[in-house]
Amino acid sequence: MEVKKVAVIGGGTMGNGIAHVFAMNSIPVNLIETKQEFADRALSTIEKNLNRMVKKEKITDGEKVSTLDSIEVFLDVEEGVKDVDLVIEAVPENYDIKKSVFEKIDKAAPGHAILASNTSSISITKLAAITSRPEKCIGMHFFNPVPVMKLVEVVRGLETDDETYEATEAAAKLLAKVPVPVNDSPGFVSNRVLMPMINEAIFCVGEGVATPEHVDEVMKLGMAHPMGPLRLADFIGLDVCLDILKVLYDGFKDPKYRPAPLLVQMVDAGKLGNKTGEGFYSYD
Ligand SMILES: NC(=O)c1ccc[n+]([C@@H]2O[C@H](COP(=O)([O-])OP(=O)(O)OC[C@H]3O[C@@H](n4cnc5c(N)ncnc54)[C@H](O)[C@@H]3O)[C@@H](O)[C@H]2O)c1
């Protein structure tokens, strides 16, 4: 099955980036939001990012205009998914919100359509079980910022069939992304490997082994990481890191995933990283 039109549900950090890359690759996008002001914010972010690409001469002004023209906004999920081949859900990381979205899209999307989630940690198998087409459900895990990052983890749920996997993989390649197949498991591969490293870095700070700056310097200079784990944790959001560690801890029942006490304290204190202006570092 060839993906000729997509719907992206949620135009936040990830959703606007996903809409951007599909539209830029000549695939029309129905962008679905809950309010016009959120949709406007998503469109203005996409336009700002396209302007930056024009300035760097990565795309022409004409390509910018045709990309924006390929995105149509909907404030009604049922309306927005009824003529697409692939739906990508990018609403907040909350099972109840995703459940209500999956119920709606399963009813309203065409029978052949693939239902994908950009979830970072919720089980694809569990989301698929909400629908009447678990074999057509899959994880399409993009990375932030979507227009820049090459990786898409393509997550197979228990019942995902080969046709769905292959069509999703082909769609990712069409975006010039690199799809990597993984099976459904807490944190998939990306967060299962990344979050324990971030957590251990936070233990080092909490136990007075080194300052955040020094932990990051060790990982940048010694391990050639472009960004240290604590700077990255601030960028991701410390609340998001804590939520993902809880998913790993609950999913595996293994104490190696227990969140560092300092991480819990910082989240309790509202120091969530870049988005609140303070985390392991201060931001203007
Ligand atoms: N932020 C990241 O770095 C990152 C990376 C990979 C995956 N993810 C995953 O992507 C998903 C989205 O994360 P985000 O950071 O973009 O969140 P976000 O909060 O920035 O955006 C979510 C958007 O969904 C909209 N929304 C909420 N309910 C809706 C509904 N019923 N219908 C339509 N729109 C609705 C909100 O208005 C908001 O604009 C989550 O599952 C998250 O785990 C996030």
Side-chain angles (χ1 to χ4, degrees):
M1 198 262 297
E2 199 188 337
V3 172
K4 296 200 181 111
K5 186 167 189 180
V6 304
V8 177
I9 309 185
T13 309
M14 297 305 289
N16 76 61
I18 297 167
H20 171 142
V21 292
F22 274 102
M24 210 175 72
N25 286 283
S26 309
I27 303 207
V29 177
N30 291 349
L31 179 61
I32 303 165
E33 256 295 350
T34 49
K35 288 189 180 166
Q36 189 62 44
E37 60 183 290
F38 298 152
D40 291 344
R41 190 178 57 191
L43 289 176
S44 87
T45 303
I46 295 169
E47 186 168 8
K48 198 177 71 192
N49 291 335
L50 288 167
N51 282 337
R52 196 175 303 138
M53 295 178 87
V54 171
K55 211 168 165 191
K56 288 185 181 167
E57 295 182 356
K58 287 188 175 168
I59 59 169
T60 63
D61 213 38
E63 284 166 330
K64 173 192 128 183
V65 173
S66 70
T67 299
L68 289 170
D69 285 348
S70 301
I71 303 175
E72 191 178 349
V73 163
F74 289 82
L75 300 180
D76 180 277
V77 173
E78 278 94 342
E79 268 305 297
V81 301
K82 70 181 187 197
D83 62 345
V84 303
D85 309 301
L86 168 65
V87 180
I88 304 173
E89 166 278 306
V91 302
E93 189 76 341
N94 173 297
Y95 175 73
D96 292 333
I97 299 177
K98 291 197 192 282
K99 180 170 184 279
S100 103
V101 167
F102 266 77
E103 283 166 352
K104 286 184 193 159
I105 59 180
D106 184 38
K107 283 201 193 98
H112 74 277
I114 294 173
L115 310 185
S117 175
N118 185 52
T119 179
S120 309
S121 60
I122 294 173
S123 160
I124 298 301
T125 306
K126 194 170 164 186
L127 292 174
I130 297 164
T131 75
S132 61
R133 53 178 111 180
E135 72 289 352
K136 292 197 185 307
C137 294
I138 198 159
M140 205 173 180
H141 187 204
F142 289 85
F143 289 76
N144 184 21
V146 180
V148 176
M149 301 296 275
K150 287 269 172 221
L151 175 64
V152 179
E153 260 186 319
V154 182
V155 187
R156 293 187 79 134
L158 190 65
E159 295 186 66
T160 309
D161 65 18
D162 290 344
E163 195 193 347
T164 300
Y165 176 79
E166 280 152 22
T168 308
E169 184 186 52
K173 284 184 180 162
L174 222 148
L175 307 175
K177 302 289 181 202
V178 180
V180 176
V182 306
N183 288 323
D184 194 17
S185 176
F188 314 134
V189 169
S190 51
N191 282 317
R192 183 171 174 178
V193 175
L194 174 65
M195 286 302 156
M197 183 188 70
I198 287 178
N199 202 35
E200 209 53 43
I202 300 172
F203 271 113
C204 286
V205 175
E207 292 170 11
V209 179
T211 62
E213 290 81 359
H214 288 154
V215 170
D216 280 352
E217 215 173 340
V218 166
M219 298 307 288
K220 282 195 296 184
L221 300 182
M223 268 42 92
H225 288 197
M227 191 189 265
L230 298 165
R231 179 77 69 183
L232 181 58
D234 276 358
F235 179 68
I236 294 170
L238 299 188
D239 52 339
V240 176
C241 294
L242 180 58
D243 284 344
I244 297 172
L245 279 161
K246 284 179 182 165
V247 167
L248 291 169
Y249 189 50
D250 290 345
F252 292 112
K253 308 277 184 274
D254 186 330
K256 76 178 174 189
Y257 298 111
R258 73 203 183 289
L262 177 59
L263 174 62
V264 178
Q265 276 181 324
M266 290 182 71
V267 172
D268 284 346
K271 297 181 180 197
L272 308 182
N274 300 44
K275 61 184 160 192
T276 58
E278 202 179 341
F280 288 100
Y281 297 88
S282 291
Y283 305 87
D284 287 332

